[in-house]
């Protein structure tokens, strides 16, 4: 049985996507590894909110960055699926339909991914958190990490909260005529929705008590 046979194509595709995610992470094409998954559930009026939170914990979602969780799931899905096809072939003389094997493997891979994600989350370095509100980031220093921020054209910035954990936010200059370039240190002065506005430290004298 080879990986590229028709009945194994879902698992070959999963391995291919997993490799793409790994390559993207290694070469830093995109800043996906620090994606936060905001799954805040308001318990008022939602009697099943605790059950939902318990399910996310069981699956390991939120314990590790989303793309790492996805890569781990794809690996488990492919490994379980190929094992199912190998077992079916040895028992019945032929593999299962690809869609049936994929369905079984997908259901089985979810709890298995959670089993590996929970301990992995405990040993991985933490660079993001949902324990603080985004509003609390106003008044913090940040560093432009990707792009050039102009009025109407935000750039990505890196900012640490009071716990020293890193968040990624989108930033525009507070002064419309200003530009904030990659590597510039800025002060987050206000927020509108998910958009932060900042002024460059070079344009404003700050108290030394304001720090990351």
């Amino acid at each position: 049985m080879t990986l590229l046979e028709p009945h194994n194509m879902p698992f070959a595709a999963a391995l291919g996507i997993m490799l793409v995610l790994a390559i993207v992470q290694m070469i830093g094409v995109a800043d996906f590894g620090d994606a936060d998954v905001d799954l805040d559930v308001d318990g008022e009026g939602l009697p099943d909110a605790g059950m939902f939170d318990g399910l996310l914990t069981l699956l390991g979602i939120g314990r590790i960055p989303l793309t790492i969780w996805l890569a781990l799931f794809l690996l488990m899905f492919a490994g379980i699926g190929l094992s199912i096809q190998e077992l079916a072939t040895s028992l019945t003389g032929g593999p299962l339909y690809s869609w049936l094997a994929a369905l079984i493997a997908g259901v089985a891979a979810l709890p298995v991914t959670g089993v590996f994600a929970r301990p992995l989350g405990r040993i991985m370095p933490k660079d993001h958190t949902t324990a603080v509100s985004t509003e609390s980031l106003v008044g913090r220093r940040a560093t432009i990490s990707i792009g050039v921020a102009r009025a109407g054209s935000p750039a990505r910035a890196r900012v640490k909260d009071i716990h020293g954990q890193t968040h990624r936010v989108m930033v525009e200059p507070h002064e419309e005529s200003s530009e904030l370039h990659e590597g510039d240190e800025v002060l987050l002065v206000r927020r509108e929705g998910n958009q932060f506005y900042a002024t460059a430290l070079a344009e404003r004298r700050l108290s030394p008590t304001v720090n990351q």
Side-chain angles (χ1 to χ4, degrees):
M1 182 180 296
T2 65
L3 181 62
L4 297 180
E5 290 181 357
H7 51 266
N8 284 334
M9 288 308 296
F11 315 117
L15 288 174
I17 296 171
M18 185 201 70
L19 289 175
V20 169
L21 289 174
I23 292 171
V24 167
Q25 290 289 91
M26 286 189 295
I27 66 177
V29 169
D31 198 11
F32 293 151
D34 298 297
D36 289 334
V37 183
D38 292 326
L39 295 169
D40 299 328
V41 177
D42 184 356
E44 296 183 6
L46 293 175
D48 295 329
M51 183 182 300
F52 180 70
D53 287 339
L55 178 61
L56 294 179
T57 299
L58 178 65
L59 298 180
I61 297 175
R63 299 297 185 92
I64 55 178
L66 181 59
T67 47
I68 295 179
W69 185 93
L70 179 59
L72 183 59
F73 170 77
L74 291 171
L75 178 62
M76 296 299 106
F77 171 75
I80 293 172
L82 292 172
S83 299
I84 289 172
Q85 295 293 51
E86 190 68 34
L87 180 62
T89 299
S90 63
L91 292 178
T92 66
L96 300 178
Y97 291 113
S98 60
W99 63 266
L100 179 58
L103 178 62
I104 297 171
V107 172
L110 284 172
V112 175
T113 301
V115 168
F116 285 94
R118 291 193 296 276
L120 184 60
R122 287 194 290 269
I123 64 175
M124 285 186 63
K126 302 293 190 301
D127 64 354
H128 72 284
T129 180
T130 56
V132 299
S133 68
T134 53
E135 187 66 36
S136 69
L137 299 177
V138 174
R140 308 294 298 178
R141 289 183 179 181
T143 302
I144 303 298
S145 57
I146 300 177
V148 177
R150 302 182 179 91
S153 177
R156 197 162 196 189
R158 183 175 64 252
V159 57
K160 290 184 179 180
D161 62 27
I162 59 174
H163 303 294
Q165 295 176 307
T166 302
H167 299 254
R168 267 68 180 181
V169 297
M170 300 305 294
V171 170
E172 286 187 31
H174 178 63
E175 299 84 2
E176 290 189 1
S177 60
S178 296
E179 290 186 354
L180 306 173
H181 294 261
E182 188 170 327
D184 286 354
E185 280 196 305
V186 300
L187 177 71
L188 303 180
V189 295
R190 63 186 176 94
R191 179 176 73 92
E192 294 181 5
N194 292 326
Q195 183 71 56
F196 285 83
Y197 293 84
T199 184
L201 293 182
E203 297 178 1
R204 182 172 178 175
R205 293 184 179 276
L206 301 175
S207 168
T209 59
V210 179
N211 49 53
Q212 290 185 350

